[in-house]
Amino acid sequence: MGDDSDWMKLPVDQKCEHKVWKARLNGYEEALKLFQRFDDTSPEWAKYQGIIKKFVTDSNSVAQLKGLEAVLAYVENAHVASRTVGEVLSGVVCKVFNQPKARAKELASDICLMYIEIEKADIVQEELIKGLENKNPKVVVACVETIRRALCEFGSKTVTLKPIIKVLPKLFESREKAVRHEAKLLAVEVYRWIRDSLRPPLQNINSVQLKELEEEWVKVPSSAPRQSRFLRSQQDLRTKFAEQQAVAGSDGDCEDVADSAPQVDPYELQDPVEILSKLPKDFYVKIEAKKWQERKEALEALAMLAKNPKLDNGDYGDVVRALKRVIGKDTNVILVSLAAKCLAGLAFGLRKNFGTYAGNVVPTILDKFKEKKPAVVQSLQEAIDAVFLTTTLQNLSEDMLAVMDNKNPSIKQQASLFLTRSICLSTPSTLPKSLLKPLCAALLKQVNDPAPEVRDAAIMALGTAMKVAGEKAVNPFLADLDKLKVDKVRCVYMRTVEDVGVAKKGKPGAEGGAKSKKPAETKEIVETELSVEVCDELAAAVLPASCVKMLDSSNWKERLASMEEFYQVVEQMDIGAMPCQALVRMLAKKPGWKETNFQVLQLKLQVVAVVAQRGRFSKTSASVVLDALVEKVGDVKCGGKAKDALTAIGEACSLSWIAEQVVSLAFAQKNPKNQAETLNWLANAMKEFGFTGINVKAFINHVKTALGASNPAIRAAAISLLGVMYLYMGASLRMFFEDEKAALLAQIDAEFEKMQGQTPPAPTRGAIKRTGGQEEGEEAKEEGVAGDIMDLLPRTDISDKITEDMVSKVGDKNWTIRKEGLNEVAAVLSEAKFIKPSLGDLPITLKGRLSDSNKILVQQTLSIMQQMATAMGPALKQHVKTLGIPVITVLGDIKNTVRAAAMATLNSWVEQTGMKEWLEGEELSEELKRENPFLRQEVLGWLAVHLPTMRSVPSDLMLCVPPLFGCLEDRNVDVRKRAQDVLPVFMMHLGFDKMNKATGKLKPASKDQVVAMLDKARDVMPAKSAGPAKAAPTKPVSSVHPAKAAAGKKPLGKGKEEEDKSGPIFTMVPNGKDLRVKDEKSLKTLKWNFGSPRDEYVEQLKVQMAPCVAKWLQEELFHHDFQHHIKAINSMIECLEEEHEATVACLDLVLKWYTLRFFDTNTSVLMKALEYLKLLFLSLSKHNYHLSEQEANSFIPYLVLKVGESKDVVRKDVRAIMGMLCKVYPASRMFPFLMEGTKSKNSKQRAECLEELGCLIGFYGMSVCQPTAAKSLKEIAVHIGDRDTSVRNTALNTVVTVYNVCGEQVYKLIGHLSEKDMSMLEERIKRSAKKTLASTAPTPKQGEEKALNSSPTKLHTLSPIHPLHVRAQALHYTCRPVPLTVSFLHRLRPVPTHFDELHAGPSSTINLVISQVASGDINTSMKALAQIDEVLRQESIAEVMVGHTDQFLIATSLQLRLAHSTHMADTRLPREDIFKLYSCAIGNMLTLFGVARLAREASMGVLKDLVQGLVTVLLDPRIEESQEGQQLIRSVNMLLRRLFEASDQTNILSALLVLLQDSLLSSAGSPKFSELIMKCLWRMIKFLPDTISSLTLDKILLDVHNFMKLFPKGRLRKLKTDMPHRTLQTLLHTLCRLAGPTVGTHTIRFPFASSYFCVYIVYVGSSISATPVNGLTEELSDFQCGTVIECHLSNKSVHQISAQLELPWSTKCCCCEVETSRCNNGSTANCNTHYRVPNSLWEKSQHKNCSLGAS
């Protein structure tokens, strides 16, 4: 007793856990009492939550029995009981069901049912099914019995039948009789709920057991079962059920309250079978075998597999294509029948998943109905019926309509019969007017077919359609059918349900359903045309006699009084008594509508409006007055009244009819005012009446006529009308006008942009206004209107153009052939514009390309799909499952560009199809299950955008909830964030309860987190959308330039934004660039080297740019929206000049950011980026900046990538930038980057890089080739054998360029070539030689001889031509004068105008125009040159070019090089245009060098390039081929003369010396080029006496020193001619003679001991006045050089030096002109002014005397 007293004092919960069984028993008893007393929300319940499992697992049977009673009370009353279900039930199954006591089992079963009642049915069922695997048969029997009880009491809505049916066969196989018996009882109970749906799953059990079951099933009552126990959430249903049962006293009356027997599809109860892997390995070989027996074997193997009732989803494309081929082409009818059965089996087994292939096989089956054998026809019928169940009638309608016109009556008959069966399975909602209209039209044709079987089938189809869609929907189409046939249709209509045997689903009364979805129709008033006499009688009967009499009075006042009386009578007249036609005819009585008094005329128009409004006004009456109304609509005084009358007639007769009549009448007239006002009235009427019924096709033709009118008012009215039509039709409207002129198209785009985002106004007139109350059918009506509009667009059937060859190309193993196939598909789509949805096998093949290993082809496929969306319109819905869903898979691609393209494609499809089709089925949920973070991010973000706009969603959206919960716990942060964002949107459609219930299957830890997120989401759940706006799409396709659209939008918070954007955009960080280079070298940061930019590179750049750029700019730079990128680039353009130094300080970062833009798919951003880069490199060149290696390496490789861009405009800009790069980065270092570009897989890139290499070699010579000319040329020559034609041609042209530079040496440089390649090269060189008039063997008629004569001392003497005359000839028609004002520079803009948004000063404007001078487009360059010319011609504004001379000359030099290397080689360009370009450029430079200040600004480097370009033009033999070439050569000579005279003399002389040096160094250089440069030097030497005072001798002598250092006397001797030596001698001789003794002071900086030049200066200075013995003096020997130096160091005089060298000397000293006398010993009087050379003596150990010969 002592022990008892111890535990009796314990609390109840501790007693329940005591080790003494009596204590536990006592605890359970007390707990039972407490559980019955506790309030359901009491906190005391929580005490027992952790120990409740121990109640059922007690080891003592007596205590356990009491514990079970306590648990039952706990589950029934505790609010926390649902949290214990898992642990309690596992204990019940394992520890209670095996007890021998029946009471324990009963209580355990009650506990299970109680848990079901508190909404935990799924977990209870899961635990019980787990118990079926227990080895103890008692446990199995108890579990089966409990499941049966649960099903019997709660019904099949609560207890899921599929897992139960799945385990039933296994239970029937048990060795225990008790288990089999319980299984039989459970099977009978399941049969009560689903009836015959249970038979297929149990077909394979023991035959004896199946027979017993059949006997039991017969005994089951035929009445529908109903649940007898209800869940807690169904208690209101339970009360209703009890009340109705009490009142009605029968079960039948409660059927709609407690209908617990839902229709169960046996298909859903099956497990899918995977058959693709089980196909014979040689299946595809056999099915194409020549022997029919082998083909039969393959089909029989497939037929066996296709018998499985449910097939696993997979790629059945190849199988379906094989079957289609057999059905369509096999001549063996047995095989055709077998293939049809296989197709039917696949369709039945795959169901909705087969819908992907439905559109491909239906046309083939329909066409095969030409077979007459009943067995084949029956198989085909079964196949096509099975296929129809996997898709919709809407998707198959195009194929159906196509065969309706077939000549074969069997095909037409079977098509109509199939249509009948299909309509029987349809509902009013799936048979809308947009679908019914074309189907009825086709059937009506067949009703009159000669074949009776075709007529009967068509009548049956029409009758069935009438039964499904309703009489009112079909009757309008039967108006023209004769009565006998109409009666037959009605007869079919009356007996359709009985004949076809289709039980109608949904709400009773299809007519009512159709009626509710369709706005009320107004009955059209029909009236015959009356004669004039009858009209007079009718009018006289209702109008006063005085009124009728004065209508034609000659006195206007009487007519006015008559009309006033007329108006009053009509206003008061009864509607039924109003003869409308007679009244309006009376108004036409003389003078009729030619009334001259506007007051009378206004009253007549008012009468028409009143008659139309109040009377029964018909189209016949309207026809009487329409012509007159249109004639008056443009009248200033009466136009308003005429428009009111037209509006009133529109309300009476429908706008669609009157609009077409009015526009036709207006354009039949010649009055432009009437035409314009008619269009204006129509635009306003559309807003008032709506767009329903408008004949778009007819209107577009009239609008096109109006757009072509010469009167601007008509064009403006037409554009306004298009704007209104855009509200209803959207972006598809623009496609009709793409052929219009660019200027007109820009105006249309601007109008569309105004309308963008607006919603069409609600109709206020017409039938909609009169009927009212149309809200209930609003959604259907809206859809119907949209569909009608799209139906009006003319569509092309391109199925015949999608050939088998094209499809096979798209699926070829070779990627180049696949690309070719895709190009052909794109071309077909572009040509067709609007297409029908029939695409043959193309969708399945395109689907394969979406998973192509070549990402370029994937992007091209996505681009084609975007084209398809625009072209196909709403009919695209039928391809959503085939092509749309695979696009979602592409969203998981690792490349940003591919994902962006996929998202753009997805949005373009959704814009046409809506979201419903995408959410139906399990495809979307399967995609979300993929553990791909990119895919999940994109899909969830996409759903977050589109789901809020939907009114309702398909129930299948619930399938996406489990994957969504998985995303909430994804490892990727972005996926979790996107999932949390979309959670409230899902909840908005599905509700909190459903989503909360779905958490039941989660693990406990996950469930708690997800439930907490659901609670948070419920607080922010948005209100359900009223549906998408009725407006046109807010995002037009190709209608408005994105940059303009971005500029047009005003940002919110403008004041704040402007305040934030004040200040510089770039910040100079001291040593920032050096530190970044250092970090990259030490691998602290990632090296800027990638195939496509990964996130880590973008983040690194973002971090590096943070201290260098303004915060607002960085946000714009790294924004996800491309429009922000455009804004950022605009800002950088504006600040380019102002912040040049800061831009240079962070140039490496700027260039890196622009490389990221090269990977963008948005063309607007790319073009804007290239625009900025052109300006940037012009600015850098102007400031003589040179790119560092790090800047070049992080930018140039990506620029080279873009040279292979598919768009021409991009490639041109990239080539222009490459040309500018050579000014800030050595061309020799550019060369390796371009060589690397030739290794690309992109053929365009290879071709462009090779062309650029040719330009570099042609411009800079062979020295540009790195690392060596031989190695480079060998690599270039490899491309002569390239597969791509353009690459081969470019490679050949490049090698020809090398040949033109270095001649026959090219064969040695290129190395060994194949015989084929060598023959191509030789042929190309021969053609080039012919083309250039054999330039390798020049004749006296060559261009350079005409340019410069053979005199070494002067340029060719030109015939006297005035400079202005030359200039006028150069610019006579290309540079048309532009009228200038003082503000010319402020309105000057580059060509084309990409900078409209820029508001910069004159300097920036000049920069922008100059940037266009170097454009690759000839017209653009010439227009820019014309604008520069206008600036230079006016002295008042020419000064603005100060500081821009170098910039302009660089651009012009680039253009000259481009013309020489590219334009002249392009046979497609007219030579006249190229000569115009040359003339413009030379004329501009003539004018510029005529302005002294501008001419002197030109730097040495710029002059060097300019002279090189001009001399290249003179040497181009192609130029003299035409008459214009002779004039051009004269202009170039004139320009060179002016350049030599006007430019800085030091700069031009240095430039010529450097050019001569470079030309002599280059082994591949042309000797003619060196010769012309030397002639230019001779001309400059001639100017020296006049220009010596302005020369900087230090610079000149340094250049000569460098020249002689590179060309010592030994090397000079090896040259083919002594002209360079003589030219240099003459130059030095003249300089020393003119400069006098001071020449020595300019040589101090030169190292004497190593300079032959200094020796030469001493000698020349010594002998400048000496008279040679026999002419000129030759060069000194080495010994003589040493002697000269020694003498000068010893202070010897000139005469002493001459005597020691045994040279003749003059009687005058060259330094001081003092007379000296020669002594016998050769001594002279010393001159004190001789300069000294303070250098050490140059010794030579050995020397030989050289005899000086006289020349």
Side-chain angles (χ1 to χ4, degrees), residues 165 197 293 413 621 653 804 838 937 1221 1236 1309 1334 1615 1751:
I165 294 170
S197 299
Q293 292 92 341
Q413 177 196 11
S621 303
C653 303
E804 287 188 12
S838 50
Q937 285 178 51
L1221 265 174
E1236 194 65 28
L1309 292 172
L1615 295 176
S1751 59

Side-chain angles (χ1 to χ4, degrees), residues 1171-1189:
E1171 200 170 274
Y1172 172 80
L1173 288 170
K1174 284 193 287 187
L1175 294 175
L1176 173 67
F1177 286 114
L1178 273 177
S1179 176
L1180 293 175
S1181 174
K1182 173 186 171 185
H1183 291 84
N1184 295 322
Y1185 179 81
H1186 295 284
L1187 287 184
S1188 68
E1189 287 302 316

